[in-house]
Every structure is written in structure tokens, then in C-alpha cells.
Amino acid sequence: MTDDKLARMANQIAAFFVTQPGVAAEGVASHINDNWSPPMRAALLAHIAAGGAGLAPAVIEAASRLRPPPHSAAQT
Amino acid sequence: MKDFILPGRDMGTPARSGAPVSLTIDGFAITVPSGTSVMRAAAEAGIRIPKLCATDSLEPIGACRLCAVEIEGQRGTPASCTTPVAPGMVVHTQTDTLARLRRGVMELTISDHPLDCLTCAANGDCELQDMAGAVGLRAVRFGPGANHFAQRAAEAPNPEWRPKDASNPYFTYDPAKCIVCMRCVRACEEVQGTFALTIDGRGFASRVVAGQDVPFMASDCVSCGACVQACPTATLQENSVIEIGTPERSIITTCAYCGVGCSFEAQMRGDTLVRMVPSKEGKANRGHSCVKGRFAWGYAQHQDRILRPMVREAITDAWREVSWDEAIGFAAARLKAIRAESGPDALGVITSSRCTNEETFLVQKLARAVFGTNNTDTCARVCHSPTGYGLKQTFGTSAGTQDFDSVEQVDCAVVIGANPTDGHPVFASRLRRRLRQGASLIVIDPRRIDLLETPHMGEGLHLPLRPGTNVAVLTALAHVIVTEGLYDTAFIRARCDWDEFADYMEFAARPEHSPEAVEVLSGVPAAAIRAAARAYAAAPNGAIYYGLGVTEHSQGSTTVMAIANLAMMTGNIGRPGVGVNPLRGQNNVQGSCDMGSFPHELPGYRHVSDPAARGIFESAWGVTLSPEPGLRIPNMLDAAVGGQFRAIYIQGEDILQSDPDTRHVAAGLAAMDCVIVHDLFLNETAAFAHVFLPGSTFLEKDGTFTNAERRINRVRRVMAPKNGFADWQVTQLLANAMGAGWAYTHPAQVMDEIAATTPGFAGVNYAMLEERGSVQWPCNDAAPDGSPIMHVDGFVRGRGRFIRTEYIATEERSGPRFPLLLTTGRVLSQYNVGAQTRRTENVAWHAEDVLEIHPHDAEVRGVKHGDFVRLTSRAGETSLRAEVTERVAPGVVYTTFHHPGTQANVVTTDNSDWATNCPEYKVTAVQVSASNGPSEWQTDYATLVAASRRIAPAAE
Ligand code: SF4
Ligand code: SF4
Ligand code: SF4
Ligand code: FES
């Protein structure tokens, strides 16, 4: 999956949670943890590690709260 | 095969529900609800009074006088169908006077009837014959005279005679046989609500006419068949009965088209289906149906059906017909090889909302327990996934809150992003009946839908919003309700979290959410938004019905939450006549979601990361399940292009035609190493398949469908599968070839497994469905009889939750290159991708997809009605004919997606709902220009499809 597609999806999620009361990054992280497969999470984390170009601040902030994908998935 | 025959006795007039009244009929004491007719009371006592114009699906009119009775203390012989019972009444139904009177009535009727009973299509199924027998008619004393049935009279053409009207492909109107009982006229008005028929002329000259005395097909008739069903003679007759003869037995089953889930009697002669008659016992449809369910089942016998399995090495090869063993072996070997190379997550499945609950359950079980992955998704992804998410967040469960009967108590109906007269016709008929009784209607939709043209309805208010601004408009409704103090404090305090409401109140009250501010965005006059909010909040019972115009947006989930907020703040939850009602597109959308089709949810909406839920299935199935969410359809396609996702088993879906951004879908499918399509026809997706497994129709298998009101209805096998296996058997063959060791011999066993593992279904089994006909989940120890209405005493999640609904404009915006907004929908006669309906006579109504465009937009582009136009978006382009109409607003164009040649989804984009990735079908920025023929994509595609459909001659 391409990084800009993932970035767009993550930014859309962030756009919702920044309008909600509470910490947006928490909402973003739990939504992604619940719905994204491990390879998708791995790709997003890698993208953030590489600087996170084009990502909303709430997505970058959510990185530490994302469940790390099981080891094998991180390879794909 | 077990026949399931219900007593289809006609009680003469509709049931009533008043206080009990006791009377005596022919010496028998009987007690019935007040308001009941004498005719119905007699029928309850087992006495059948002769009748012609009365039938229990229609209000009586007392026209034929055949049902006369004598009542002690009353003069004359009143019509029993129009005479209500009274306490202590003493009725005689058979006296010498009555017998003479009835014979006289029959004699008069018969004197204007062709006595060709032996060759008549209704022979043996004619109420006129029955009544002639019942009243003891032995002779007709009137000589030949003026009549309607003889083509020639006294050596000259008979001016009263009219030829048959065979314009409708499914039924024929033969005026020669009409007895002018007006049942058809009343059925069209009362049951269907179309008002297509009238009685023209008076006395002897009176006759039934469609529209302004035109052929049926030229009138407003929508071919629902209610008049045909109501007609006591052969005047209005199904063509299938004319061709085959009368049926000899019937089996109750469920329509496989839309989410209304109508119950039908499949009336059979041998293993030939003669006709489908909507069942009066059906709780969703109460004896009514639409053209699709009643008539459009011919696809089951269509020559295009593929009955033998096929395989090919590469998608560029021709198909090779093979045995079931070879096809299953071929598929299993490929799947195993790919799993060994790339791991279980390179495999996946797509379940179908057209298949049964049992079949869907097995397909997701195949993915989770046999493949070892949570990569399972369903076409509900592309329609109602936001409903699942939004309602789960606010109410705690992903389902509509009401049953369809609830519509009978609605005072204000709000219809958002739905077009029920086309998409959910039987529901629309039931709603129209309520609107005629005075309920008010609010429509929030870019198009002026037909519901707004309901004859004889109460108030109707249309909020024609710009596509993509649902959240803004619904939040503006909330703004009016909170700022004008129209909310239901007692309900909110008792049932919801007050602090969350206080937060939402503050949010909604902000000036940017006022109707005046939203008018600028949405194009809806502020006054209309205010009027709608006040009407909904003030109604004793306000109900919201919504469709894909809500969900198929980048903010689909937010819109569902906004709807839930409105219902909670006005206290419109938890009793008949109110609620939040998603109108599901396909027959089993609800069921396919319930059955764990989604990649993050096990059956019963339990998250895969929940160890307790996984534990239940792990011990039932003896496997370890993955705790990680799998891929959704669009993610599968993305991963396929990236090389990580390599094999898919698709049951009963045509994702190439139904999913957005066709080029992207095609690229994803083309990148896979093993595509297994399990379907009735070589559908569009099959162009990219390596294995084709023939599917079975709903007439050929047992199972259950769950309709939009959570009602679990039985589907019953009425004939043997032409392809050899029911779909659940095919899935089992594939699973076993992969080593699963399943041993189901009947879908009832699958239901037992569902009940044992899924709390909401704990009380469901086939024996119980046999006894009760249907049940609405949850059905378990807490609700042994099922749950017609949800959230009665409390929300499933405990307290109802208000969630802020900020409007975020879609990225899909009109601009200089693409100045118009395209929105999509469907028509009554066709069904989704049309694979079934296009293979029936329904093409008489909708032979091609057209583009609706406002006269103003058409004029500036030099486009005239019927012109071929080019429709372009940033994703692609296609060509189709223009229909110039004011039904769409300036700046908006509209089309349907029933025909593969049009490929409307070539132009839709990959934008999707933020929470669920449900595609944004309802908004695409486009340009329209004059064109002289098919686009390049259409031509290329036609060539590709033709090539991919080649079937090599079978090698012996
Ligand atoms: S088929 Fe339906 S719509 Fe047509 S005339 Fe009969 S009742 Fe009316
Ligand atoms: S067409 Fe049939 S239902 Fe209609 S008036 Fe004639 S006999 Fe009665
Ligand atoms: S398509 Fe829908 S409304 Fe029509 S008969 Fe089937 S279930 Fe009923
Ligand atoms: S049946 Fe009562 S008047 Fe016709």
C-alpha cells in the first residue's frame, strides 16, 4: 500500500478526532489499533519514523500509542 | 423437502383491534374486536359468506351485494362486508331470501362473462367460479344482449369489446373478463399507493383503465402486481400462469433482492416455479411485494448461468470446464502454495450480502479458521459499514432500532439520502399509507424523490442539499433543537449521559452551525432547516429512515452519529413509531455484518482483539485465531498491487462493477495469483479469475436472510440446485480440500453453531423458525421471543452517547475542470449491478443507465435530451445518454450503476469514509460534454471482457 494513501486515511481519522473533546492522538491511535491490519500499521510507523511527511500532527503524536505489529508483519 | 403450507384463507375484510364484542351467527356465539365486519366475524366462526368484491387485504366497499345477510331486528339484507358487528347481534347467513338474492346477483354478473372456463387461465383458481358454485347458480335466464366479452355482436364489431393489454411483460389485462369489483383499483391505491387504476364510465359502461385509459406500460403502473393478486378472475393474470397452468403447492421463502426481506409463497407445479405470491403472514411485507420479488426471478433459469466449474492457468487463457473435484483441487493447491510462500495474510475472502447467514458464516470461518487470517470483508463495506460504526459508538449495537410495523405509528417521517419508492418499494408503500393518514414527511436529499409526489399525502418538506453536506445540515437541525429548547430533557437525563449532551449542546449551538451559516454551504434555505427541526422535534413520534445517501460519503460515519444524536435528543428511541432505521440495500446486508464478515469483528460484532470472544471460537473450532484486524476490500486491493496480497475467494459479489474506481479494482485483481469467483454468472470480476465455481440461486437452497429490521427469515429450497451444490456446500468442499474436516449436512447445523457462539442468536434455531415464521434478534434468554424494538429500557451500551459532529468538507470538490457533482442511485426495476435483473423482463423498464442533468446545465453544454454525453472525473471517463430533468438541482448530475457497459464506477474515486473506508459513491466532481460514442475505456473493456469469457470446448 502506498504511503500517501495511508497518510490520507490517517489524516482523515485525525481530522475527526481533533474535533472531539479529549486528546486527539488517543482517539486516532485506538481507531487505528482497532481497524488497521499489522502491515498497514507497520507501514505507517515506518513513514512516521522517516519524518512523517504530510501527516497531521495528531497522527504523528499517536505513533507512541500505536500497537506495534507482531514481528513478522513488520517485514512485509 | 418439506412443504410448508399455511392456511391462506381469505377472511373477507381486514382485522381490527377494538374491544371485544359478542354476537351470534347462524346460532354460533362468537366474540371479535369491535369494528370487525359481520363477514369477518362469520369467517372466524368458520362460516364463509359468499363474496366477490371483498378481500381481507382491502377495505370493503359493498359493491357486489353477494355477501348480503339478515340481521334480526334490522330491515332488509345488509352487506356483511361493510356492516360492523354490534353487541348481541343475531345474524343469519343463509335463508331462502338470501339464496334467491345471491343467485340473482350472480346471474347478472355471469350474463356479461364469457363462459370459457375450461380454457381460462384462472380455471380452478377463480373466485367467480367458486361463487357460482357456492350460491347454486344453475341457469342464466338472460338472453344474449349487450356485453363486454364478444368481439362481434349482431354481425358488427362490439363497441364494448376491448382487446387484451399485454404491454406489461409479466401480466395480461383481459377486459372481457372483468366483473368491475374494483379490487384492483383499491389494491393499487391502498396497498401499493400508486393510484394508477381508475374506473372509467358508469353503470354498464364502467371499466377498469390504467392512467388516462392507456396501456399499463404507458401508465404510472410500477408493476408491483398487487392488482393481479387481488383480482378474483382471470382479468388480471400472471403470464406465467397463462403459460404453465395453476400451481399445486406452495413453499414459504424470502425474497433475495432488497433489505425489506419480503416473505413469499413460491407456488410450484412439480419443480417448476409458477409464481411468487407475497405472503400475508410475512411480517415485513404483510402480503405486498414489488416487481422484483414477485416477477423478476427468471434469471434462475437464464441461459447465461454457468453450471459447470471452470479453471485456467492465467487470466489470458480461455476457460476450461472441469469436474467439481478438479476445480476444488486446483483452487486448494494454489491457495496452499501461496500460503506456504507468503503466509496466511496473503489470502482473503469476500462474503456476500446476497448469500444466506449460514453461507456467510462459513466463508468467514474459512478465512479465520482454515486460511488462518482475518482478511474477510463484505460488500456491506461499500454500503452500510458507517451504520455499523456510527450506531455502535452511539447506541452500542449496529442495527436499526425498529420493525417495519412501527411505520404505522409514525407522525413525522424523516427520510435522508434514501429513495424508498425505488430502493425499498414495499417499505415505501407502507410509509405512503401512513402519509395518506396524515403523517408529515421531511426529505433530505439532493434529488426530488418520488416519495414527495405521494398522492393524497400530508405535508411534505424537501431539503435539497448539495451532495456532501449531510453533516452540516443535520448539525444545523440539532442547532435549532438545542437553541430553541426543543429537546427532551427527561429522556436525555434518564437514558443518556447528561454531560456528553451538555457538551454536544454547546457544540451544536455555535453560530457556525446555525441554519443561516449552513445555508451558504448546503444551499438549503435556513427557514426550511428550521421548519424541519421543529416538525421532527414536535411530532409525538418522529422516525428517521436513511439509506446510502448517508453512508457513502467521506463523512458517512459522522452523519450516522448525527442522526443518532437527533433521535436521542428528541427522545425518539425505544418505542413503536420512532427510531433510527437504516434501509439496507441488499437482502442480507444486516446478516452478513452480523455473521462476522468484517476483518476486525468476529460474529456478533466482537472485536478480534477480545480474548474472551476469540476463546469461544477457538474452542468451538479447535484452532488459534489471529488477534489482529485483517484487511478491508480497498486495503486488499492496495496490498495486491504491492504484492503482499495474492489470493481471494469471492462469493456472490461483483467487486469490479460494484466497487469504486474500477481501474484500481482491475489493477488489484490482475495482480493476484489466485482469484476464485463463486457466482451464478460470469460476472465482470470473473474476467480476472482463475477459478469459477458455479453458484446456486435462493430457490435452490435452505438458509436464512436477516432483513433491515433484524428479522431472521427462512429461505427454503424449492428446487434442486442446477449447478449440483448449494453455495454452503461449495465452501465446505473448498475448506475440506484445505484440510478443514467440516461435516455439515444441513444449514440448520450451521445455525446451531452460530447460536452456540453468538449471544444475540442464542435462542435461534430452525425448529423455532419453522414454528414462528421469523424472529428479530437479539433472541436469547433475555428476549426469548426476539426484539421487535431495541433500546426499550436502556441502550445496549448502557447510556446513549452524544458525539460531536463537525462538518469537514470532502476533498472531492467541484472546480473549474470538474464543475458538476455526480451522485448515484438505483431504480425500482433493477437491482445493484443488475446481474440478476438484467437477465429478466425487467429490462423493459430500464434498458440502460442514463445521466440526469438539470436543463440549465444541459443548455450551457449544448446537451439535449437523449444525447450521448461524456462524463469525466479525475478517475476516468465514460459515456451514456442524458436525461434533462429538473429533478436534480443545477450543479448536480445523477446516474445509476446497473449496467456494466456504462461502468459508472469508472468515474467514481477512491475517496472513502474516514472511519470505515466506505467509498464516497455519492459525490464525485465531474464534467459533462457532448460525445459521439463509447469512451476508450468502454471499448477496451468490452474487448477484454469478450476475450476473458472464452470457454474452451470440453476435452473428453
Ligand atoms: S401492478 Fe401495482 S402499480 Fe401497477 S396497476 Fe397493479 S397495483 Fe397498480
Ligand atoms: S380487473 Fe379484476 S379486480 Fe379489477 S375490477 Fe376487474 S375483476 Fe375486479
Ligand atoms: S425487492 Fe425488496 S421490496 Fe421487492 S419484493 Fe423483494 S424484498 Fe420485497
Ligand atoms: S363482498 Fe360484500 S358487497 Fe361484495
Side-chain angles (χ1 to χ4, degrees):
Chain A
M1 176 165 314
T2 58
D3 281 355
D4 56 309
K5 250 195 186 168
L6 286 179
R8 208 164 96 205
M9 284 168 63
N11 287 346
Q12 267 187 294
I13 295 168
F16 175 81
F17 285 102
V18 296
T19 69
Q20 300 300 311
V23 183
E26 268 173 27
V28 174
S30 87
H31 189 87
I32 291 181
N33 283 336
D34 278 355
N35 293 288
W36 285 26
S37 68
M40 291 165 65
R41 297 203 306 273
L44 180 65
L45 283 168
H47 184 59
I48 295 173
L55 288 177
V59 178
I60 298 192
E61 216 183 302
S64 61
R65 296 176 172 90
L66 288 179
R67 191 166 69 249
H71 189 67
S72 65
Q75 313 297 314
T76 49
Chain B
M1 182 174 14
K2 179 174 180 303
D3 287 4
F4 189 81
I5 299 177
L6 286 167
R9 211 152 63 97
D10 185 349
M11 307 299 282
T13 64
R16 298 287 188 247
S17 56
V21 173
S22 298
L23 68 162
T24 310
I25 303 178
D26 292 343
F28 294 101
I30 170 105
T31 303
V32 294
S34 71
T36 304
S37 69
V38 169
M39 174 180 281
R40 188 174 176 104
E44 306 252 347
I47 297 163
R48 299 169 76 166
I49 300 172
K51 63 182 184 60
L52 279 173
C53 66
T55 183
D56 60 8
S57 56
L58 303 171
E59 292 301 322
I61 50 164
C64 73
R65 313 302 299 178
L66 193 65
C67 68
V69 290
E70 289 181 20
I71 298 175
E72 286 184 15
Q74 286 190 23
R75 295 201 314 168
T77 51
S80 64
C81 62
T82 48
T83 307
V85 295
M89 204 179 231
V90 178
V91 180
H92 300 282
T93 73
Q94 183 70 11
T95 64
D96 289 347
T97 319
L98 291 173
R100 224 174 307 122
L101 191 87
R102 288 189 188 133
R103 271 187 216 125
V105 170
M106 277 310 287
E107 216 172 334
L108 208 57
T109 311
I110 294 291
S111 67
D112 189 10
H113 201 80
L115 294 178
D116 58 356
C117 289
L118 285 183
T119 51
C120 176
N123 189 15
D125 183 27
C126 171
E127 293 182 41
L128 191 62
Q129 277 181 343
D130 296 348
M131 289 309 122
V135 306
L137 185 70
R138 296 295 170 256
V140 176
R141 286 164 300 169
F142 305 105
N147 67 64
H148 293 89
F149 62 81
Q151 195 167 350
R152 296 179 69 79
E155 304 303 311
N158 176 1
E160 298 296 341
W161 179 85
R162 292 274 190 97
K164 290 180 187 171
D165 173 357
S167 61
N168 185 295
Y170 295 120
F171 61 83
T172 299
Y173 170 47
D174 180 359
K177 299 198 165 170
C178 182
I179 59 172
V180 204
C181 66
M182 289 177 64
R183 282 198 198 177
C184 52
V185 177
R186 287 179 288 149
C188 194
E189 291 176 1
E190 293 174 29
V191 179
Q192 165 57 22
T194 293
F195 291 72
L197 302 179
T198 45
I199 299 286
D200 192 32
R202 324 198 64 186
F204 177 76
S206 58
R207 69 169 77 244
V208 173
V209 297
Q212 306 291 319
D213 200 357
V214 293
F216 270 71
M217 281 302 269
S219 75
D220 286 342
C221 168
V222 294
S223 195
C224 70
C227 55
V228 181
Q229 185 177 351
C231 182
T233 65
T235 314
L236 285 164
Q237 186 77 61
E238 295 92 348
N239 289 346
S240 58
V241 174
I242 297 176
E243 278 153 29
I244 302 169
T246 49
E248 40 90 22
R249 70 201 162 94
S250 67
I251 301 169
I252 300 283
T253 190
T254 304
C255 176
Y257 281 115
C258 87
V260 176
C262 295
S263 296
F264 279 90
E265 287 178 27
Q267 300 194 345
M268 311 291 298
R269 171 157 290 280
D271 70 350
T272 300
L273 180 57
V274 177
R275 65 179 166 193
M276 295 284 270
V277 179
S279 161
K280 282 190 216 165
E281 327 290 324
K283 298 203 178 68
N285 57 321
R286 304 276 177 203
H288 190 38
S289 78
C290 79
V291 58
K292 294 191 288 293
R294 191 191 298 261
F295 293 124
W297 35 266
Y299 68 87
Q301 276 83 29
H302 197 277
Q303 59 186 24
D304 283 355
R305 248 187 96 179
I306 304 284
L307 301 175
R308 295 182 60 188
M310 303 190 299
V311 300
R312 57 183 172 187
E313 283 303 319
I315 59 172
T316 44
D317 296 345
W319 284 107
R320 202 154 52 79
E321 286 190 345
V322 295
S323 68
W324 276 99
D325 275 352
E326 186 177 344
I328 297 285
F330 181 97
R334 279 212 175 188
L335 292 170
K336 283 195 265 190
I338 292 169
R339 184 170 58 179
E341 274 168 39
S342 308
D345 290 329
L347 276 48
V349 300
I350 297 180
T351 71
S352 173
S353 302
R354 279 157 50 190
C355 289
T356 64
N357 286 319
E358 292 76 5
E359 286 162 346
T360 305
F361 184 85
L362 290 188
V363 173
Q364 63 90 34
K365 178 176 175 180
L366 175 73
R368 300 190 205 275
V370 183
F371 292 177
T373 175
N374 284 322
N375 291 339
T376 166
D377 208 356
T378 172
C379 55
R381 167 70 56 216
V382 303
C383 64
H384 266 293
S385 54
T387 294
Y389 182 81
L391 294 184
K392 186 155 188 184
Q393 294 296 316
T394 49
F395 297 165
T397 189
S398 162
T401 61
Q402 311 298 116
D403 57 4
F404 282 131
D405 283 350
S406 167
V407 73
E408 291 167 10
Q409 296 176 52
V410 171
D411 300 301
C412 173
V414 185
V415 176
I416 311 176
N419 185 9
T421 50
D422 286 71
H424 302 84
V426 165
F427 163 71
S429 291
R430 298 188 70 177
L431 177 56
R432 281 183 150 172
R433 181 188 284 228
R434 186 63 192 158
L435 295 176
R436 289 196 302 275
Q437 291 167 352
S440 62
L441 172 69
I442 298 166
V443 170
I444 306 180
D445 198 284
R447 279 170 86 232
R448 197 172 163 83
I449 60 171
D450 283 345
L451 203 55
L452 284 159
E453 316 300 336
T454 296
H456 309 291
M457 79 169 175
E459 278 171 71
L461 182 60
H462 183 204
L463 275 50
L465 77 183
R466 208 161 281 148
T469 58
N470 284 332
V471 170
V473 171
L474 296 181
T475 306
L477 292 174
H479 175 96
V480 177
I481 292 170
V482 303
T483 55
E484 297 189 1
L486 307 175
Y487 50 87
D488 182 342
T489 310
F491 180 90
I492 301 166
R493 285 211 180 273
R495 304 285 305 277
C496 305
D497 184 308
W498 185 266
D499 291 342
E500 280 165 358
F501 174 66
D503 176 75
Y504 191 68
M505 190 154 53
E506 181 274 317
F507 167 85
R510 292 179 194 166
E512 67 265 30
H513 299 136
S514 70
E516 290 70 22
V518 167
E519 172 170 349
V520 181
L521 292 171
S522 67
V524 182
I529 297 180
R530 287 192 184 274
R534 289 172 191 150
Y536 173 64
N541 286 334
I544 299 177
Y545 297 91
Y546 71 90
L548 305 183
V550 159
T551 54
E552 289 175 349
H553 285 285
S554 63
Q555 277 200 295
S557 292
T558 316
T559 312
V560 173
M561 293 174 193
I563 288 172
N565 289 342
L566 286 171
M568 288 190 289
M569 74 173 65
T570 53
N572 276 315
I573 289 287
R575 59 176 192 278
V578 299
V580 172
N581 305 272
L583 296 170
R584 309 283 184 163
Q586 307 195 50
N587 52 330
N588 203 32
V589 170
Q590 181 72 51
S592 71
C593 297
D594 300 343
M595 291 299 110
S597 292
F598 288 133
H600 65 294
E601 278 172 344
L602 295 163
Y605 304 101
R606 288 163 294 170
H607 200 273
V608 291
S609 65
D610 172 3
R614 271 204 326 279
I616 294 172
F617 291 96
E618 289 180 336
S619 58
W621 298 343
V623 295
T624 308
L625 296 176
S626 163
E628 288 288 353
L631 295 168
R632 301 165 173 177
I633 294 174
N635 311 142
M636 289 182 196
L637 295 166
D638 291 336
V641 173
Q644 301 100 13
F645 185 84
R646 298 179 53 202
I648 194 162
Y649 168 47
I650 305 172
Q651 183 175 69
E653 276 311 317
D654 194 359
I655 59 169
L656 189 76
Q657 201 189 339
S658 65
D659 285 37
D661 197 356
T662 309
R663 286 161 189 266
H664 179 61
V665 180
L669 288 168
M672 295 185 206
D673 299 307
C674 179
V675 175
I676 306 169
V677 168
H678 182 182
D679 211 302
L680 298 174
F681 305 105
L682 268 182
N683 60 18
E684 309 304 308
T685 308
F688 295 90
H690 306 88
V691 181
F692 186 90
L693 303 174
S696 50
T697 70
F698 76 112
L699 298 168
E700 298 164 337
K701 59 197 183 189
D702 281 302
T704 56
F705 290 150
T706 308
N707 73 357
E709 42 163 15
R710 293 169 280 105
R711 184 180 302 288
I712 305 166
N713 271 316
R714 270 302 308 276
V715 178
R716 291 187 176 81
R717 177 175 146 151
V718 304
M719 57 178 77
K722 289 196 185 310
N723 57 323
F725 292 108
D727 294 338
W728 61 271
Q729 292 172 301
V730 174
T731 305
Q732 170 158 292
L733 289 173
L734 185 59
N736 287 348
M738 306 237 352
W742 294 353
Y744 303 105
T745 56
H746 191 274
Q749 298 155 345
V750 183
M751 182 51 86
D752 291 343
E753 186 171 317
I754 295 167
T757 50
T758 310
F761 287 74
V764 183
N765 59 61
Y766 275 35
M768 176 242 236
L769 292 174
E770 209 68 19
E771 196 177 302
R772 300 203 198 155
S774 68
V775 67
Q776 286 173 275
W777 71 254
C779 171
N780 48 29
D781 287 347
D785 296 327
S787 313
I789 301 208
M790 292 194 84
H791 318 296
V792 175
D793 301 314
F795 285 99
V796 169
R797 71 183 300 278
R799 291 195 164 260
R801 178 168 164 222
F802 286 90
I803 299 178
R804 288 194 201 173
T805 51
E806 188 71 77
Y807 168 66
I808 299 171
T810 166
E811 289 167 26
E812 192 66 22
R813 250 165 281 193
S814 49
R817 269 183 70 209
F818 302 115
L820 301 170
L821 288 178
L822 168 74
T823 184
T824 55
R826 58 169 155 175
V827 298
L828 167 69
S829 56
Q830 299 289 335
Y831 174 71
N832 278 15
V833 298
Q836 291 138 303
T837 42
R838 278 185 284 111
R839 292 183 172 91
T840 67
E841 301 293 339
N842 277 23
V843 289
W845 285 272
H846 186 79
E848 62 179 339
D849 294 321
V850 297
L851 185 77
E852 290 185 7
I853 182 168
H854 189 271
H856 174 78
D857 293 324
E859 197 187 326
V860 299
R861 288 170 178 77
V863 167
K864 290 186 305 300
H865 200 82
D867 279 359
F868 233 91
V869 293
R870 178 159 300 219
L871 178 68
T872 325
S873 77
R874 65 181 168 82
E877 65 176 48
T878 190
S879 304
L880 69 177
R881 283 185 201 285
E883 178 173 323
V884 179
T885 167
E886 287 184 6
R887 179 186 277 258
V888 289
V892 177
V893 292
Y894 169 89
T895 190
T896 48
F897 53 93
H898 301 304
H899 291 271
T902 324
Q903 289 275 354
N905 282 325
V906 174
V907 295
T908 56
T909 66
D910 63 354
N911 281 357
S912 65
D913 174 45
W914 68 268
T916 66
N917 288 137
C918 178
E920 189 169 42
Y921 286 123
K922 299 291 180 184
V923 197
T924 311
V926 292
Q927 177 59 296
V928 172
S929 50
S931 146
N932 35 25
S935 73
E936 202 178 311
W937 164 268
Q938 284 167 305
T939 328
D940 291 355
Y941 184 76
T943 322
L944 170 81
V945 168
S948 75
R949 293 225 163 106
R950 282 172 299 135
I951 300 176
E956 289 304 320

